[in-house]
Amino acid sequence: DAGVIQSPRHEVTEMGQEVTLRCKPISGHNSLFWYRQTMMRGLELLIYFNNNVPIDDSGMPEDRFSAKMPNASFSTLKIQPSEPRDSAVYFCASGHRETNTGELFFGEGSRLTVL
Amino acid sequence: AQTVTQSQPEMSVQEAETVTLSCTYDTSESDYYLFWYKQPPSRQMILVIRQEAYKQQNATENRFSVNFQKAAKSFSLKISDSQLGDAAMYFCAYKWGGSEKLVFGKGTKLTVNP
């Protein structure tokens, strides 16, 4: 079975540019999470969805960040405009809410560098 | 707010030896889950082991086992017969039973020396 698929794997952009990160969760999973990983702050939850509906976006840093999940098989995380402090690895993870075991399946992450 | 603390930024172990990674957490909840995730250089996070708070028996997965001390809010990971492939970042994580959010510690980098 295919795991969580993220793209791009690496992105280098200049400050002020728009960045869009993409995620395809595991088929059949109904929870989707976006995490950001930095050396200083570790893994931070940005937002998560249940059945395509955003449930908790309290971790989204500011209005420059937005996330959507138009259907069960696709989600995007957008940063506009990007800033150097947004440089990080962004992970998407999916899970099955009903099992409630808490296990999340992670993608390989998107490493973002903002110059 | 729930917090997870890993006090060892780095650890090292000789191949075939045993190592224990520490984790403490803070919560007022009684229904929760604890996890250890492994992040190899490839970056993808992989679940190593899971513990339900209501279970007294410590979880075990092959060479990986936990020491769950509920009263002390401690959840350490023991890796026996360490292998070179165990080298990675290890993250302790907490999930409250009424939520789906995983809260992670800052991680421990494990080096396995041949």
Side-chain angles (χ1 to χ4, degrees), chain A residues 27-78:
Chain A
S27 177
H29 283 184
N30 54 9
S31 294
L32 184 139
F33 302 75
W34 282 101
Y35 281 86
R36 177 172 69 176
Q37 185 178 33
T38 60
M39 287 292 292
M40 290 298 295
R41 301 170 70 94
L43 276 157
E44 304 172 278
L45 177 65
L46 300 178
I47 185 171
Y48 80 93
F49 297 81
N50 277 338
N51 295 317
N52 315 336
V53 176
I55 302 300
D56 185 345
D57 65 354
S58 59
M60 294 287 261
E62 49 199 271
D63 292 345
R64 297 185 298 106
F65 285 68
S66 62
K68 294 182 179 180
M69 192 165 186
N71 57 63
S73 58
F74 184 66
S75 177
T76 60
L77 178 67
K78 185 175 293 187

Side-chain angles (χ1 to χ4, degrees), chain A residues 31 35 50 56 104 106 109, chain B residues 37 43-44 95 100-102:
Chain A
S31 294
Y35 281 86
N50 277 338
D56 185 345
L104 296 186
F106 284 78
Chain B
Y37 277 83
R43 289 203 314 242
Q44 189 169 19
K95 185 188 96 71
E100 294 161 78
K101 298 194 293 187
L102 275 184

Side-chain angles (χ1 to χ4, degrees), chain A residues 2-11 19-27 32-37 43-44 46-47 67 73-79 88-94 104-112, chain B residues 39 42-46:
Chain A
V4 175
I5 299 172
Q6 291 186 247
S7 64
R9 192 86 199 279
H10 303 276
E11 173 97 7
V19 174
T20 299
L21 308 179
R22 298 172 177 80
C23 175
K24 177 180 170 56
I26 292 173
S27 177
L32 184 139
F33 302 75
W34 282 101
Y35 281 86
R36 177 172 69 176
Q37 185 178 33
L43 276 157
E44 304 172 278
L46 300 178
I47 185 171
S73 58
F74 184 66
S75 177
T76 60
L77 178 67
K78 185 175 293 187
I79 308 171
V89 180
Y90 291 81
F91 286 98
C92 176
S94 69
L104 296 186
F105 296 81
F106 284 78
E108 293 182 323
S110 294
R111 180 180 294 280
L112 173 65
Chain B
Q39 185 180 39
S42 66
R43 289 203 314 242
Q44 189 169 19
M45 303 274 285
I46 303 165

Side-chain angles (χ1 to χ4, degrees), chain B residues 53-85:
Chain B
Y54 64 86
K55 290 187 177 179
Q56 292 185 337
Q57 187 172 6
N58 289 324
T60 299
E61 288 287 343
N62 300 315
R63 296 183 296 107
F64 298 87
S65 61
V66 299
N67 183 5
F68 174 44
Q69 301 289 327
K70 192 170 183 179
K73 296 180 182 176
S74 170
F75 183 62
S76 60
L77 174 69
K78 185 172 82 170
I79 305 174
S80 304
D81 186 24
S82 297
Q83 300 176 358
L84 295 177

